[in-house]
């Protein structure tokens, strides 16, 4: 695979995203405690860790859903301030949330364009234009999708996921955050999403992939950042580690070279 | 994907299906609205039979339209407040306060305090403008506390309910303020405050043209993108049914004539010799009804064709998703309250104009009628669901029950019992149907 080579060339450039020493606390709990991650153009960075490790919270700091208490975010080397989801969208950061974040009572086109509606010259909503665009983007994502006039709450899990993805990819995202994008999907739909991720990557989009599924991550990511109790244990190149080593990082919170034989034995125990 | 296609097919499927359901679907009419029209028809026919033909008369229906207008106007605004998961309990008190303020403007402040005299041509405009702006400001203020202060709307507007009513007594120790400006008084309706037959037919014709224009316009838009459109027969059905309803309503309004005494006075004033049967002057559509129709059209456009309306519904469906989608949730919520406040001012103008004065119990219990109208009209407290035409119909249903029971000489406590039971039954039925539909 040539992904290692691709990385060699991209690392010389300025990272697309740099998150430096990010901290987020809920009350006294440090959900994210001084995390530093980066992401390059055309790269997929897998963000893994146990439940409550802080993956989603770290990504919510980037998507504007929950601004960080401290730390610095740079996009293309420029420091930016992201205080709400609108800021993030202006910076071409799109997010597919684990909960999908769909307005259940309106239809697919309204959800795809939520907050960014197409209007006529007089400021009226141009539903036909939005439906047309949604049909086009859906034709790419899920050709079987025909429910353009149905409230999204009546759709299947896969269809809802497709709507959430369509919303993220339609607006020419530069940075895509995918939080558990395949958690609610069947095998066929999961394969579709994987193919989509590869395609977006080839288009030069940088993707943060948050997932519980270590196989998903190994299959798609170029680098893997492991989180443990709100901190980054380490970031590794996928080609230089084994699944077991990453699992060790997730469970023990230590880099492979720090793990003792005893701990390893216990892990396999 | 079979589970979705059952609900979806509307536009996609061709004219193959011919069940009553698919027929309705190709017309693309809201079945819930159709059900409400059916329920209203049953109520009307029932009352007509029980009252021995007194209910379905031009006179009674005309009165019904005037009596419904004030509540209907406020109900259209209440829909957006409830849709975005809030409530406004203060509308009755706010109506009283705004009505009082507008009365003060035209009866005391302009003529006496500013010394400009009574019955100036601009008096009614100034009074109305002051009312609408103050209504938007006070409604918006409550909305601000709800949206930015995070205080539950139930509490904020319960406070408003007490405060606005109490403030009325700060004006002239609660004396009745009367009379109103003569032009302003036309807003209340009555034979003089109506369009007459020619004006009513013109409005009716314009409405029919509007129906044709909007139906064909939306078809054009869909065709431009190559979407499936409803069959021509469905298009014609909608246009014919809509126009028939409009023209029928105009015909009824024009079949209600001026009371004989007023007609005689008019004949004397204009030097007309009265024919043997007395002068028959058609009343036509009342101004408050015209105002209500205008408000309903504007509010429907706001709710379905503008960003603000779309956001209100999205917030009701999933507030978190709306926020993550980049919607300014707080601002939207504040504006729903401001909008309702300005509509309350319009209703306050209608009520004070009808009374030709402002009294301290103006608008008492109106909040309950307005909320009931919205809810009977299909607005759901769980948020995200509700329509403007539904709320208007809900107001007409409520008023029909009241007015029908008055005709049947049912006493006021019994009326309340019936309205209460109908309210709960209607919402219970709606919830039941909705739950089955989502399965």
């Amino acid at each position: 695979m040539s992904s290692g080579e691709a990385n060699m060339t991209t690392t010389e450039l300025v990272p697309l995203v740099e998150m430096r020493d990010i901290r987020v606390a809920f009350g006294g709990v440090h959900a994210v405690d001084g995390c530093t991650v980066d992401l390059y153009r055309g790269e997929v960075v897998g963000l893994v860790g146990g439940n409550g490790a802080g993956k989603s919270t770290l990504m919510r700091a980037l998507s504007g859903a929950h601004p960080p208490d401290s730390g610095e975010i740079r996009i293309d080397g420029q420091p930016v301030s992201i205080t709400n989801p609108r800021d993030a969208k202006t910076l071409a950061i799109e997010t597919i949330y684990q909960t999908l974040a769909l307005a259940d009572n309106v239809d697919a086109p309204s959800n795809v364009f939520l907050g960014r509606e197409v209007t006529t010259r007089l400021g009226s909503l141009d539903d036909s234009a939005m439906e047309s665009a949604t049909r086009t983007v859906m034709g790419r994502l899920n050709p079987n999708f025909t429910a353009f006039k149905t409230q999204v709450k009546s759709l299947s899990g896969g269809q809802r996921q497709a709507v959430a993805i369509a919303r993220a990819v339609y607006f020419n995202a530069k940075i895509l955050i995918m939080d558990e994008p395949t958690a609610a999907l069947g095998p066929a739909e999961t394969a579709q999403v994987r193919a989509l991720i590869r395609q977006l990557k080839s288009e030069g989009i940088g993707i943060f992939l948050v997932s519980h599924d270590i196989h998903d991550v190994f299959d798609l990511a170029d680098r893997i950042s492991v989180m443990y109790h709100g901190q980054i244990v380490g970031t590794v190149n996928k080609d230089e580690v084994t699944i077991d080593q990453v699992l060790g990082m997730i469970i023990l919170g230590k880099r492979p070279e720090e793990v003792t034989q005893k701990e390893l034995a216990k892990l396999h125990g | 994907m079979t589970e979705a296609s059952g609900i979806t097919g509307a536009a996609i499927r061709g004219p193959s299906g011919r069940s009553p359901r698919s027929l309705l679907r190709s017309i693309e009419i809201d079945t819930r609205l159709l059900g409400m029209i059916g329920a209203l028809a049953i109520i009307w026919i029932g009352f007509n039979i029980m009252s021995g033909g007194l209910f379905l008369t031009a006179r009674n229906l005309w009165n019904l339209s005037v009596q419904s207008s004030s509540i209907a106007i406020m109900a259209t605004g209440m829909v957006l407040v409830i849709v975005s998961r809030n409530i406004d309990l203060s509308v009755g008190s706010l109506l009283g306060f705004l009505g009082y303020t507008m009365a003060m403007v035209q009866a005391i402040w302009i003529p006496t305090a500013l010394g400009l005299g009574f019955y100036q041509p601009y008096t009614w405009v100034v009074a109305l403008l002051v009312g609408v702006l103050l209504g938007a400001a006070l409604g918006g203020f409550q909305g601000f506390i709800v949206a930015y202060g995070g205080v539950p709307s139930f509490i904020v507007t319960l406070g408003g309910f007490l405060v606005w009513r109490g403030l009325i007594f700060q004006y002239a120790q609660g004396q009745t303020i009367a009379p109103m400006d003569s032009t302003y008084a036309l807003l209340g309706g009555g034979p003089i405050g109506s369009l007459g037959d020619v004006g009513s037919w013109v409005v009716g014709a314009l409405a029919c043209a509007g129906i044709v224009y909007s139906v064909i316009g939306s078809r054009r838009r869909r065709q431009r993108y190559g979407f499936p459109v409803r069959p021509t027969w469905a298009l014609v059905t909608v246009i014919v049914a809509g126009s028939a309803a409009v023209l029928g309503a105009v015909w009824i309004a024009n079949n209600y004539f001026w009371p004989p005494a007023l007609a005689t006075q008019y004949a004397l004033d204009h030097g007309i010799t009265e024919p043997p049967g007395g002068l028959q002057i058609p009343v036509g559509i009342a101004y408050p009804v015209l105002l209500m129709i205008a408000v309903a059209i504007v509010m429907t456009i706001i709710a379905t064709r503008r960003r603000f309306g779309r956001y209100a519904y999205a917030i009701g469906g999933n507030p978190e998703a709306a926020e993550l989608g980049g919607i300014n949730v707080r601002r939207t919520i504040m504006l729903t309250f401001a909008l309702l406040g300005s509509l309350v001012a319009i209703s306050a103008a209608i009520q004070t104009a009808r009374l030709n004065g402002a009294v301290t119990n103006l608008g008492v219990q109106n909040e309950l009628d307005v909320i009931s109208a919205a809810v009977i009209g299909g607005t759901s407290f769980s948020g995200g669901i509700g329509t403007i035409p539904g709320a208007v119909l809900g107001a007409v249903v409520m008023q029909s029950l009241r007015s029908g029971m008055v005709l049947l000489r049912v006493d006021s406590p019994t009326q309340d019992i019936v309205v209460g039971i109908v309210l709960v039954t209607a919402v219970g039925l709606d919830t039941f149907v909705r739950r089955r539909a989502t399965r």
Side-chain angles (χ1 to χ4, degrees):
Chain A
M1 217 180 262
S2 63
S3 67
E5 210 177 280
N7 262 351
M8 290 291 278
T9 53
T10 47
T11 35
E12 292 160 21
L13 304 169
V14 181
L16 189 55
V17 181
E18 290 175 272
M19 298 180 79
R20 296 264 165 266
D21 200 24
I22 301 293
R23 288 171 201 276
V24 182
F26 297 109
V29 183
H30 297 280
V32 172
D33 194 7
C35 285
T36 297
V37 288
D38 54 7
L39 175 70
Y40 290 85
R41 223 171 290 277
E43 184 191 38
V44 177
V45 169
L47 199 57
V48 297
N51 279 327
K55 314 181 290 287
S56 292
T57 308
L58 181 62
M59 286 300 105
R60 286 170 74 85
L62 183 59
S63 71
H66 191 105
D69 299 326
S70 70
E72 189 188 30
I73 300 175
R74 285 169 178 264
I75 305 292
D76 287 327
Q78 299 296 316
V80 294
S81 145
I82 301 174
T83 56
N84 60 44
R86 283 183 295 271
D87 291 346
K89 283 166 199 272
T90 331
L91 293 164
I93 301 170
E94 295 289 336
T95 312
I96 298 158
Y97 294 95
Q98 192 174 358
T99 56
L100 302 185
L102 299 175
D104 285 322
N105 58 331
V106 297
D107 58 17
S110 306
N111 265 293
V112 170
F113 286 89
L114 193 64
R116 290 180 284 204
E117 289 76 6
V118 178
T119 54
T120 63
R121 266 171 306 151
L122 296 172
S124 286
L125 298 174
D126 194 341
D127 280 322
S128 298
M130 290 192 268
E131 185 181 331
S132 171
T134 307
R135 280 174 187 269
T136 309
V137 65
M138 276 299 186
R140 233 177 84 195
L141 296 176
N142 186 348
N144 298 325
F145 192 95
T146 53
F148 292 99
K149 288 280 182 191
T150 313
Q151 298 187 344
V152 296
K153 75 168 155 221
S154 319
L155 302 181
S156 71
Q159 290 175 319
R160 288 165 57 83
Q161 186 85 42
V163 174
I165 295 176
R167 174 164 68 184
V169 300
Y170 178 75
F171 293 95
N172 299 320
K174 271 173 25 187
I175 299 147
L176 198 56
I177 302 166
M178 302 177 103
D179 194 349
E180 304 283 357
T182 58
L185 301 184
E189 289 156 328
T190 302
Q192 250 173 7
V193 171
R194 288 182 175 198
L196 176 73
I197 291 175
R198 290 201 186 90
Q199 188 196 333
L200 294 170
K201 177 177 143 74
S202 71
E203 289 169 12
I205 296 172
I207 300 174
F208 274 120
L209 177 65
V210 179
S211 183
H212 273 102
D213 186 342
I214 192 78
H215 297 283
D216 243 7
V217 174
F218 252 78
D219 196 28
L220 296 165
D222 301 303
R223 288 184 298 143
I224 300 170
S225 289
V226 182
M227 286 190 77
Y228 184 81
H229 287 193
Q231 293 178 326
I232 299 281
V233 179
T235 300
V236 292
N237 280 335
K238 180 190 68 180
D239 297 336
E240 295 163 8
V241 289
T242 64
I243 289 191
D244 274 358
Q245 282 175 320
V246 175
L247 276 174
M249 291 167 80
I250 294 172
I251 298 166
L252 301 169
K254 290 180 180 174
R255 296 185 65 90
E257 58 271 20
E258 299 166 352
V259 177
T260 62
Q261 284 303 316
K262 211 171 126 192
E263 283 171 326
L264 207 59
K266 218 165 157 191
L267 199 61
H268 290 289
Chain B
M1 312 296 128
T2 40
E3 73 269 36
S5 64
I7 318 158
T8 322
I12 311 299
R13 201 184 304 140
S16 53
R18 280 283 155 171
S19 68
R21 240 191 173 165
S22 75
L23 278 180
L24 278 179
R25 212 177 279 142
S26 19
I27 303 179
E28 287 178 27
I29 286 255
D30 188 357
T31 39
R32 175 171 290 113
L33 205 64
L34 218 56
M36 282 191 59
I37 293 172
L40 188 62
I42 292 170
I43 292 172
W44 282 12
I45 293 168
F47 274 128
N48 197 46
I49 293 169
M50 285 191 282
S51 65
L54 287 178
F55 194 88
L56 290 180
T57 58
R59 176 196 158 91
N60 190 55
L61 291 178
W62 186 90
N63 276 320
L64 190 64
S65 72
V66 175
Q67 288 160 352
S68 309
S69 55
S70 150
I71 298 295
I73 286 173
M74 292 188 278
T76 62
M78 187 63 84
V79 168
L80 289 185
V81 169
I82 299 180
V83 155
S84 46
R85 298 196 180 183
N86 286 299
I87 187 71
D88 192 338
L89 300 173
S90 73
V91 288
S93 297
L94 187 59
L95 185 138
F97 181 66
L98 294 174
Y100 237 83
T101 308
M102 285 187 279
M104 293 291 288
V105 168
Q106 58 196 289
I108 295 172
W109 292 340
I110 288 182
T112 317
L114 294 174
L116 297 168
F118 287 93
Y119 306 122
Q120 296 294 335
Y122 51 78
T123 305
W124 73 279
V125 182
V126 174
L128 201 57
L129 215 58
V130 167
V132 169
L133 293 179
L134 186 64
L138 297 181
F141 177 58
Q142 294 187 110
F144 177 81
I145 301 175
V146 172
Y148 293 89
V151 186
S153 56
F154 190 98
I155 303 300
V156 173
T157 59
L158 186 61
F161 169 85
L162 297 169
V163 171
W164 311 137
R165 178 68 58 196
L167 278 177
I168 290 174
F169 290 86
Q170 304 297 315
Y171 287 137
Q173 287 74 48
Q175 288 170 16
T176 297
I177 310 288
M180 297 295 96
D181 177 73
S182 53
T183 316
Y184 179 91
L186 297 180
L187 292 173
I192 305 165
S194 298
L195 274 174
D197 54 350
V198 177
S200 299
W201 284 121
V202 169
V203 167
L206 285 175
C208 293
I211 292 174
V212 173
Y213 177 79
S214 73
V215 169
I216 291 182
S218 88
R219 186 190 178 84
R220 284 248 172 84
R221 273 196 300 279
R222 291 190 65 79
Q223 275 171 336
R224 196 186 310 147
Y225 289 98
F227 297 158
V229 290
R230 49 185 168 187
T232 314
W233 65 263
L235 191 82
V236 173
T237 308
V238 168
I239 291 177
V240 169
S243 306
V246 167
L247 296 178
V250 171
W251 182 77
I252 290 169
N254 280 341
N255 264 288
Y256 173 44
F257 298 103
W258 284 32
L262 212 60
T264 308
Q265 184 63 44
Y266 180 86
L268 278 176
D269 288 350
H270 290 75
I272 305 167
T273 42
E274 274 200 273
L279 199 57
Q280 298 274 301
I281 310 173
V283 173
I285 304 168
Y287 289 142
V289 178
L290 205 60
L291 214 49
M292 185 254 288
I293 294 167
V295 165
I297 291 171
V298 169
M299 287 297 290
T300 303
I301 291 172
I302 288 177
T304 62
R305 313 246 23 107
R306 308 295 296 189
R307 279 209 170 107
F308 168 70
R310 173 83 28 105
Y311 292 171
Y313 282 87
I315 290 168
N318 185 345
E320 203 205 345
E323 183 77 50
L324 293 177
I327 292 174
N328 194 335
V329 173
R330 292 172 166 185
R331 184 165 157 268
T332 307
I333 285 179
M334 184 179 77
L335 286 179
T336 60
F337 281 93
L339 185 59
L340 176 54
S342 58
L343 294 176
V344 169
I346 295 177
S347 292
I350 291 175
Q351 292 198 18
T352 46
R354 252 185 109 203
L355 279 172
N356 199 18
V359 292
T360 52
N361 69 349
L362 192 70
V364 166
Q365 281 203 3
N366 272 6
E367 59 282 336
L368 301 182
D369 287 344
V370 170
I371 294 167
S372 305
V375 165
I376 285 184
T379 309
S380 163
F381 271 103
S382 52
I385 301 168
T387 65
I388 305 299
V392 172
L393 264 179
V396 175
V397 167
M398 293 278 296
Q399 198 52 51
S400 298
L401 285 174
R402 293 250 182 222
S403 129
M405 285 189 286
V406 169
L407 276 183
L408 297 179
R409 296 178 200 288
V410 176
D411 57 53
S412 159
T414 317
Q415 283 183 33
D416 284 343
I417 294 173
V418 172
V419 170
I421 292 172
V422 167
L423 176 66
V424 176
T425 312
V427 176
L429 214 63
D430 191 43
T431 313
F432 177 72
V433 171
R434 222 190 285 273
R435 202 177 295 153
R436 278 194 34 187
T438 51
R439 244 168 225 165

